[in-house]
Every structure is written in C-alpha cells, then in structure tokens.
C-alpha cells in the first residue's frame, strides 16, 4: 500500500486521472475589451475561454469511481471546482 492509500483506503485500486489546469495566452485586442484577461485557462489543454467560460467536459461512465489528481499549474488563478451531471451539482469526496 502506498502513501495515499494508507491514509484513505477507499482509493486503493481506483483508476487515476490527472487534471492539469494551465494558463494559455489569449490573442486579443485590449483596446476593444480592456476587462478581458490576458490569459485563459485550459483543463488538459481544453480551453475555458473568456467571456463564455464554457466549462470543460469530462466523460465518466455512470457509477464509475475515479481518483482525480488536480494540479493548478496556472500562474495565479484561483479555481473553484464543481462536478455537475445534467446541470445538478454532485458531491466530491
């Protein structure tokens, strides 16, 4: 048994997924939209672009449990994570 599994035995044997949040430069016109950020975020290279902020979609089979390792590799973004199914918030454990 490794470190995390010793502390949280329920994760033993779960398939793992690494979610990497990164910055991505935005080619934009600062003069026409000064409130626009100079960086957008990506989740595993899927853009979460301003101003629409459409969330990234991760597909998981119904009933499947996974261990998600989330890395915020952005320069200075604070990120709130939500898990939704059909628009309904789901618990994260």
């Amino acid at each position: 048994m490794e470190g995390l599994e010793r502390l949280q035995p329920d994760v033993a044997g779960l398939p793992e997924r690494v979610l990497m949040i990164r910055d991505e430069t935005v080619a934009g016109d600062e003069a026409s939209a000064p409130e626009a950020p100079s960086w957008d975020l990506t989740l595993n290279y899927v853009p979460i672009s301003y101003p629409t902020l459409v969330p990234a979609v991760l597909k998981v089979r119904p009933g499947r449990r996974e261990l998600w390792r989330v890395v915020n590799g952005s320069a200075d973004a604070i990120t709130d994570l939500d898990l939704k199914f059909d628009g309904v918030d789901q618990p994260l454990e």
Side-chain angles (χ1 to χ4, degrees):
M1 212 180 259
E2 296 193 27
L4 182 59
E5 295 165 341
R6 255 186 269 130
L7 293 173
Q8 191 59 265
D10 289 344
V11 303
L14 289 180
E16 294 185 25
R17 188 186 297 219
V18 176
L19 305 176
M20 177 65 84
I21 301 167
R22 296 178 174 90
D23 293 324
E24 177 180 272
T25 58
V26 175
D29 179 9
E30 244 181 77
S32 65
E35 73 284 356
S38 57
W39 297 89
D40 274 343
L41 294 178
T42 65
L43 178 63
N44 292 5
Y45 296 106
V46 176
I48 304 168
S49 300
Y50 178 88
T52 56
L53 301 175
V54 175
V57 174
L58 303 171
K59 296 189 179 207
V60 179
R61 282 192 327 248
R64 178 179 167 101
R65 295 179 63 212
E66 295 181 344
L67 172 63
W68 291 359
R69 296 183 183 271
V70 181
V71 179
N72 186 349
S74 64
D76 57 6
I78 298 170
T79 307
D80 293 325
L81 299 177
D82 289 321
L83 177 62
K84 293 185 182 281
F85 179 75
D86 284 342
V88 177
D89 288 336
Q90 302 295 311
L92 291 171
E93 298 176 28

